Amino acid sequence: MLARELGLLYIDTGSMYRAVALAVLESSVNADDDIAVGSLASRVDIELAGDPDSMRVTLEGDDVTDRIRDEDVTHTSSIISTIPAVRRAMVKRQRELGQRGAVMNGRDIGTVVFPDATVKFFLTADLKERAERRLAEEREYNPSATYEETLADIKDRDQRDTTRVDSPLVAADDAVVIDSSGQSIEEVFQRMMTFVRAKADSVDG
């Protein structure tokens, strides 16, 4: 919604890690082999294209937008995304993509990828509410997904991301923290746009 309103490229960095995970699954590389996975991440061709409402993800020229949402890719992505070499490879690509201006979504954008970004948001919400939102998304791809499994997966991912040595999940010192618990998407969007407009006015002034 921000990207559409501001006329900017939208980059969902999580999709890039999912694409690497799919590349691992489709190769002979073991997901536990950090060196091999890092090498693969540095050479696979991943592209993001389309407008914010219909972004498509390609891996080696093949459209994998739907495939990367499958359960096996999700699980593998959470493992390989903690590998420093993978993160370095993806950060390099994300910086290249975002140089011309973009709205980027990811867990280390404001601290690692673009620490000098004009506006940074750190979105959070009640854990149970996050699980309910994620479950609604997952059931579009996996009808058998359960709330208990989704909640456990979020807890595990948060633990991995906040304790990893390379690019841990943490709010940047200058990030605007927004707790979206009990709020609609539109309400959160309007709050964010208020900050964006205020920042634009201060820069123009």
Side-chain angles (χ1 to χ4, degrees):
M1 292 170 73
L2 284 171
R4 185 170 60 248
E5 179 71 17
L6 300 171
L8 294 173
L9 174 68
Y10 171 63
I11 300 175
D12 175 14
T13 61
S15 294
M16 300 175 74
Y17 287 98
R18 286 174 175 271
V20 173
L22 178 57
V24 169
L25 290 171
E26 294 182 341
S27 71
S28 58
V29 172
N30 188 320
D32 295 322
D33 187 337
D34 290 9
I35 295 177
V37 174
S39 176
L40 180 64
S42 68
R43 65 177 188 272
V44 292
D45 179 28
I46 300 170
E47 295 291 340
L48 305 179
D51 60 50
D53 296 308
S54 58
M55 187 185 71
R56 310 302 296 177
V57 183
T58 61
L59 173 66
E60 300 296 345
D62 295 325
D63 189 327
V64 296
T65 306
D66 295 329
R67 174 70 176 94
I68 61 173
R69 299 297 169 181
D70 289 344
E71 187 174 358
D72 58 339
V73 177
T74 298
H75 175 71
T76 303
S77 175
S78 68
I79 296 173
I80 62 97
S81 65
T82 63
I83 299 174
V86 173
R87 301 203 70 83
R88 286 194 294 271
M90 293 301 99
V91 166
K92 179 181 178 181
R93 296 189 185 199
Q94 289 156 17
R95 285 174 176 164
E96 292 171 350
L97 287 170
Q99 283 298 332
R100 290 169 293 177
V103 173
M104 302 190 77
N105 168 22
R107 292 193 160 198
D108 61 351
I109 305 304
T111 54
V112 176
V113 183
F114 282 107
D116 297 323
T118 306
V119 179
K120 303 175 188 176
F121 293 109
F122 188 87
L123 282 170
T124 186
D126 174 77
L127 183 61
K128 292 182 179 179
E129 188 163 346
R130 289 172 58 203
E132 291 170 354
R133 294 172 180 174
R134 176 64 61 81
L135 180 62
E137 294 177 352
E138 288 188 350
R139 281 187 169 162
E140 295 182 16
Y141 305 94
N142 178 21
S144 63
T146 68
Y147 173 80
E148 290 74 18
E149 292 173 339
T150 302
L151 180 63
D153 180 66
I154 289 177
K155 287 181 178 178
D156 289 345
R157 185 186 176 198
D158 284 352
Q159 175 66 19
R160 281 192 299 269
D161 287 356
T162 56
T163 59
R164 67 186 179 222
V165 176
D166 194 291
S167 306
L169 169 63
V170 62
D173 292 338
D174 56 345
V176 176
V177 179
I178 296 180
D179 186 338
S180 65
S181 302
Q183 296 187 48
S184 68
I185 293 176
E186 182 62 31
E187 288 172 324
V188 175
F189 169 66
Q190 291 301 334
R191 288 182 64 187
M192 296 174 86
M193 281 304 303
T194 296
F195 284 108
V196 171
R197 293 188 185 104
K199 185 66 175 183
D201 289 342
S202 68
V203 171
D204 293 340

